[in-house]
Amino acid sequence: MGQKKSDNLVGILLMLGAMAAFAIEDMFIKQLSGGMGTGQILAILGLGGFLIFATIARRAGKRVFTRELLLPAVMLRNFGEMLGTLGYVLAVVLTPISSASAILQATPLAVALGAALFLGQAVGWRRWLAIAVGFAGVLIVIRPGLEGFRPASLFAVQGVIGLSIRDLATRAMPSTVSSTVLSAYGFGVIVPVGLALMLVEGAPVLPDVTQGWKILGALVIGPLGYYAIVAAMRVGEVAVVTPFRYIRLVFAMIVGVLVFDEVLDFWTLTGAAIIIGSGLFTIYRERAAAKARRGLSPAVL
């Protein structure tokens, strides 16, 4: 029991570190967008991330380019990565980082919805209600049709849809495909997205010293965050560690206020609280449903 508590504590600390890393990476991306096109940022980070994970995979004896790249689940995952990353990065660049991050917290709810609709996962009325309430929280953050509505916030919704597709496709992934190779693919497919966006945005710029350091920072902190989150899920119990994903929003708000002088309005905070509350309740119900499937209580689904 003591060892399990210790492992869970390590898992929680790793998850907190991962969420902080992702918030810092978003900060670098938003800062870079002030003097560099979003397409160029995506192409650079995509290529850098691909080279990092491809090198790690090769050193581990894994082949990067295999027929597994053409598996339907892998192709669907890569499509979701392209759609989601493009949407979320555009939201980070064009809207307050706090609101973009708040909307992103709806991804687990969208994954739960997709699992019920497409993977046949049993979902009871309580979780359906939690999903609906969570999406209502997204609408509160976006505020369509009202004075505070920012059309660019819809890019964050695109991010939720794409990343949900990615996560659902990952569930259907054969165990033979290593996570490191998948990560290399995930970064690699961002490169053509960035290059295509550069055709619209215009010619790339040569990064200056400050921009170069920020690019390097994003290239280092992003993969570190990824490894931290993978390690957290392996060390600690999933049900204990997963809720701490939502701390990313806290870090994003801190970055938004301290670095970008953002003002956290009432509706953004209210919507974020509803999204997080719904997500935590969904996690709780999924844990209860798992116990029910082991024959403990059929009523909790």
Side-chain angles (χ1 to χ4, degrees):
M1 181 63 71
Q3 182 63 41
K4 180 176 290 188
K5 287 183 178 180
S6 177
D7 289 344
N8 284 338
L9 177 59
V10 172
I12 290 170
L13 292 175
L14 286 168
M15 181 64 75
L16 293 176
M19 296 304 102
F22 292 145
I24 294 171
E25 182 184 31
D26 292 345
M27 178 192 72
F28 285 137
I29 290 173
K30 192 170 183 69
Q31 289 177 327
L32 285 167
S33 68
M36 186 180 296
T38 305
Q40 184 177 355
I41 295 171
L42 286 171
I44 292 174
L45 297 184
L47 179 60
F50 171 78
L51 292 175
I52 289 171
F53 282 106
T55 301
I56 294 172
R58 290 295 298 167
R59 290 179 65 87
K62 304 289 185 181
R63 294 177 58 191
V64 177
F65 297 105
T66 66
R67 291 184 178 180
E68 292 174 334
L69 180 60
L70 301 178
L71 291 173
V74 175
M75 295 178 67
L76 182 61
R77 186 186 190 279
N78 288 338
F79 169 74
E81 189 76 70
M82 294 167 66
L83 182 69
T85 300
L86 174 61
Y88 181 64
V89 169
L90 285 173
V92 166
V93 169
L94 299 174
T95 69
I97 197 171
S98 53
S99 64
S101 184
I103 296 171
L104 187 71
Q105 304 313 306
T107 302
L109 296 172
V111 171
L113 175 64
L117 295 178
F118 303 112
L119 300 182
Q121 180 173 317
V123 175
W125 68 268
R126 297 177 183 85
R127 274 189 284 170
W128 280 119
L129 180 61
I131 291 170
V133 171
F135 287 142
V138 172
L139 291 177
I140 290 174
V141 175
I142 297 175
R143 282 163 281 177
L146 300 178
E147 184 179 351
F149 173 60
R150 298 183 182 90
S153 294
L154 296 177
F155 283 123
V157 177
Q158 174 187 327
V160 170
I161 294 171
L163 296 179
S164 299
I165 293 172
R166 180 199 66 184
D167 291 350
L168 287 168
T170 302
R171 294 189 180 191
M173 201 72 61
S175 58
T176 55
V177 185
S178 77
S179 58
T180 308
V181 172
L182 282 178
S183 299
Y185 293 163
F187 276 98
V189 295
I190 301 304
V191 177
V193 174
L195 294 176
L197 194 56
M198 286 170 62
L199 295 177
V200 178
E201 294 178 331
V205 299
L206 183 66
D208 58 28
V209 175
T210 300
Q211 290 172 328
W213 280 111
K214 291 176 180 178
I215 291 172
L216 179 61
L219 285 173
V220 171
I221 203 73
L224 281 177
Y226 170 82
Y227 266 111
I229 197 171
V230 170
M233 301 302 283
R234 287 178 176 174
V235 172
E237 295 176 276
V238 173
V240 174
V241 173
T242 299
F244 287 89
R245 283 176 177 264
Y246 289 106
I247 203 69
R248 177 174 182 172
L249 178 56
V250 176
F251 290 129
M253 288 181 171
I254 292 172
V255 168
V257 171
L258 296 183
V259 180
F260 300 107
D261 297 323
E262 295 178 5
V263 177
L264 304 178
D265 62 82
F266 171 79
W267 293 112
T268 297
L269 292 173
T270 300
I274 291 173
I275 294 168
I276 292 176
S278 300
L280 291 174
F281 181 79
T282 301
I283 292 171
Y284 165 74
R285 296 306 306 179
E286 287 178 352
R287 188 178 185 184
K291 291 181 179 179
R293 286 191 291 270
R294 293 195 294 269
L296 298 181
S297 173
V300 295
L301 291 172

